[in-house]
Amino acid sequence: IDDRPQARRQVNFRLRDWGISRQRYWGCPIPIIHCDSCGEVPVPAVDLPVVLPEDVDLEASGNPLANHPAWKHVACPKCAKNAVRETDTMDTFVDSSWYFARFTDPWNEADATSCEEANYWLPVDQYIGGIEHAILHLLYSRFFTRAMQKTKHLGLSEPFDGLFTQGMVVHETYRSADGEWLTPKDVRIEAKAETRKAFALTGSAEVMIGSIEKMSKSKKNIVDPDDIILSYGADTARLFMLSDSPPERDVIWSEEGIQGAGRYVQQLWRLIAALKNASVASDNSPGANSDLAMRVRRAAHGRVLKVQDNIERLRFNTAIAEVRKLSNTLAELLDEVTTTPVHPDLAAAFKEAADFLIQAVAPVMPHFAEECWAILGHTDLVAENDWPRVDLQLATSDEVTIVVQFNGKRRADFTIARNAAATVVEAKALSLDAVHAALDGKSVKKIIVVPNRIVNVVI
């Protein structure tokens, strides 16, 4: 028998004291008074909160509160002798680590919160923050929650049910020959074939293009939001940031990307005008009978259902992709209209589809959506309306696309009726030219059919 010492599992916590004091004006004052006779004395409850002075000099060096001539001087609450307030303010994480609990009972003047109210509203369903928050802020919030549980302010130990860390907006950096950082608006980019060069707008000297990094003031790779809003509008900026990449990844800000988003907004604006004209004969009752009207309704209900599913899963870029597919499909279906005026059933279908499209766009581009909503003849706000009610029968296509694999490797695909029997699916798969070429005279050992998804051929 091996009698040597056995290893044991051990968790080592690398926790350190949290230094919460900051030598700055902005922040919650630390409610302590320093007295030569009594030492550190808490500010009496009746004198809380400690209010910051408004006449501070923020341009002078050092702590603005320590430099203030009068604010810091106060009588000691115990002995009434001359004393000095604590001039440090708290780290802002102190406030943001428990504000969600205060929000459950914001008008409570007697205590920080009510345990009954907090237990009703908490925990928070979804915590969303940058990756830098996944360590400190999340740690502090959990610490505060446990502390407030001990003091009977809360009846739970975990503040959040779900955690989602979003990516950052990043941009490439630019540096002059003398090492000075340049902002993107001070640089002109020339792209030819496979090369990209940057030149300073002042002097036209060539500029070194650096790595893509988190936007920061020190490296000047920042884009002024005011410039973007003036040029493209806030909604276009939102559209680009949400559609560029999955929300958990970084968004690489580029002029080409924001321009592309701007072009799509203009395209969507023209489409709404066309849909408005096509739905003039509508009596608002989508009793679709014709084949084209049914295709319009299936597209609207099917795509909006996918938009809804992706938004609920925080896949905003995929949701916007579904909106684009819907707008493209509606534009193609409009091209198939040959009679004027449009038949009432088709007009009603286009009216419903236009409403669905704008309601799907509204969470991303609220101002644009409201303008389009008014153009479509509505007198209320799209923000006041419920999410579109999707008809699952219309949203579910009668046909599905089946992928054909050979020993797990994709070779082809085909479209077939959703309720087709397995034998019919097998026969269709084996009749494909790509399948015949892949077989190359070999016999089939087994065929595995995953309903409405895959046909796997084993050879």
Side-chain angles (χ1 to χ4, degrees):
I1 299 175
D2 188 351
D3 58 356
R4 289 177 297 177
Q6 301 298 306
R8 292 191 185 91
R9 186 174 183 273
Q10 181 175 323
V11 177
N12 291 323
F13 293 99
R14 294 188 296 169
L15 295 178
R16 301 289 184 273
D17 288 342
W18 178 12
I20 67 165
S21 59
R22 299 290 184 270
Q23 292 74 47
R24 60 189 179 200
Y25 175 76
W26 302 110
C28 181
I30 297 175
I32 293 293
I33 295 173
H34 300 279
C35 175
D36 291 338
S37 301
C38 306
E40 297 175 352
V41 182
V43 174
V46 294
D47 295 333
L48 295 177
V50 177
V51 180
L52 292 169
E54 296 184 5
D55 56 339
V56 293
D57 183 3
L58 299 177
E59 300 296 330
S61 60
N63 185 344
L65 294 177
N67 294 335
H68 194 278
W71 178 82
K72 62 183 178 181
H73 299 291
V74 65
C76 173
K78 282 188 175 181
C79 66
K81 294 181 179 178
N82 292 335
V84 178
R85 291 188 187 278
E86 174 59 60
T87 57
D88 283 2
T89 54
M90 296 185 195
D91 177 3
T92 51
F93 269 149
V94 173
D95 296 319
S96 63
S97 294
W98 70 281
Y99 69 88
F100 48 86
R102 176 61 178 174
F103 282 177
T104 64
D105 195 12
W107 295 281
N108 188 336
E109 297 183 2
D111 208 341
T113 187
S114 147
C115 190
E116 181 181 358
E117 291 290 335
N119 291 344
Y120 174 81
W121 290 106
L122 296 176
V124 176
D125 295 317
Q126 182 68 61
Y127 176 111
I128 300 177
I131 190 65
E132 74 278 9
H133 286 180
I135 302 172
L136 292 181
H137 188 259
L138 182 61
L139 179 69
Y140 298 152
S141 298
R142 298 179 73 197
F143 165 77
F144 261 76
T145 300
R146 283 165 170 74
M148 294 178 75
Q149 184 187 39
K150 295 286 187 183
T151 60
K152 308 300 182 184
H153 288 93
L154 295 177
L156 66 157
S157 59
E158 287 292 343
F160 313 118
D161 269 348
L163 169 66
F164 184 85
T165 53
Q166 63 192 28
M168 296 184 177
V169 181
V170 297
H171 199 292
E172 62 186 5
T173 53
Y174 308 105
R175 210 166 192 174
S176 63
D178 57 3
E180 290 292 322
W181 298 104
L182 299 176
T183 63
K185 68 179 182 180
D186 294 327
V187 173
R188 172 174 53 87
I189 302 293
E190 287 187 5
K192 296 181 180 179
E194 299 179 357
T195 62
R196 286 179 78 249
K197 291 185 177 181
F199 299 89
L201 290 180
T202 304
S204 299
E206 186 168 353
V207 173
M208 182 184 71
I209 300 177
S211 58
I212 297 174
E213 299 184 31
K214 178 179 70 173
M215 288 188 181
S216 66
K217 294 179 181 178
S218 60
K219 296 185 178 179
K220 295 187 177 180
N221 61 333
I222 54 177
V223 177
D224 190 338
D226 289 339
D227 294 340
I228 300 300
I229 292 171
L230 286 173
S231 300
Y232 301 99
D235 280 356
T236 302
R238 290 189 188 95
L239 176 67
F240 168 61
M241 287 192 290
L242 290 176
S243 63
D244 183 68
S245 63
E248 70 271 16
R249 297 182 186 174
D250 292 342
V251 175
I252 302 176
W253 188 273
S254 67
E255 189 67 21
E256 296 82 0
I258 190 68
Q259 289 174 355
R263 286 192 296 270
Y264 177 68
V265 172
Q266 295 299 321
Q267 175 188 332
L268 198 56
W269 178 260
R270 293 190 294 270
L271 175 62
I272 292 301
L275 288 170
K276 167 66 175 177
N277 292 334
S279 61
V280 168
S282 170
D283 60 359
N284 291 324
S285 57
N289 297 313
S290 67
D291 176 67
L292 184 55
M294 288 300 294
R295 286 162 60 195
V296 170
R297 297 198 68 203
R298 286 196 185 100
H301 285 257
R303 291 299 175 192
V304 167
L305 181 62
K306 292 182 178 179
V307 171
Q308 174 183 318
D309 177 62
N310 281 288
I311 288 178
E312 289 175 348
R313 294 188 294 117
L314 304 180
R315 313 305 299 175
F316 304 123
N317 61 314
T318 311
I320 294 172
E322 293 296 337
V323 170
R324 285 178 176 260
K325 289 177 183 178
L326 174 56
S327 64
N328 290 339
T329 300
L330 293 178
E332 293 169 0
L333 293 172
L334 277 170
D335 289 339
E336 295 187 30
V337 177
T338 56
T339 59
T340 304
V342 177
H343 194 274
D345 72 320
L346 181 56
F350 277 129
K351 176 71 170 68
E352 179 188 51
D355 288 351
F356 274 31
L357 177 60
I358 295 308
Q359 286 176 287
V361 163
V364 179
M365 298 190 290
H367 304 96
F368 176 83
E370 296 297 351
E371 190 70 22
C372 292
W373 194 249
I375 288 174
L376 291 174
H378 297 283
T379 56
D380 58 354
L381 297 176
V382 64
E384 295 174 339
N385 285 264
D386 293 335
W387 185 256
R389 291 188 177 183
V390 174
D391 186 329
L392 294 180
Q393 289 186 336
L394 289 172
T396 304
S397 174
D398 294 332
E399 295 183 331
V400 291
T401 300
I402 305 292
V403 174
V404 182
Q405 296 181 337
F406 271 72
N407 296 335
K409 186 176 182 181
R410 179 173 181 157
R411 294 289 185 175
D413 61 66
F414 62 92
T415 302
I416 198 168
R418 180 178 292 275
N419 59 356
T423 54
V424 176
V425 175
E426 289 182 18
K428 177 68 174 178
L430 294 175
S431 68
L432 299 175
D433 292 338
V435 173
H436 282 296
L439 283 172
D440 194 23
K442 298 175 184 176
S443 60
V444 177
K445 294 181 180 179
K446 184 190 293 186
I447 298 180
I448 304 171
V449 177
V450 180
N452 298 326
R453 292 183 59 193
I454 298 171
V455 174
N456 194 16
V457 181
V458 182
I459 56 177

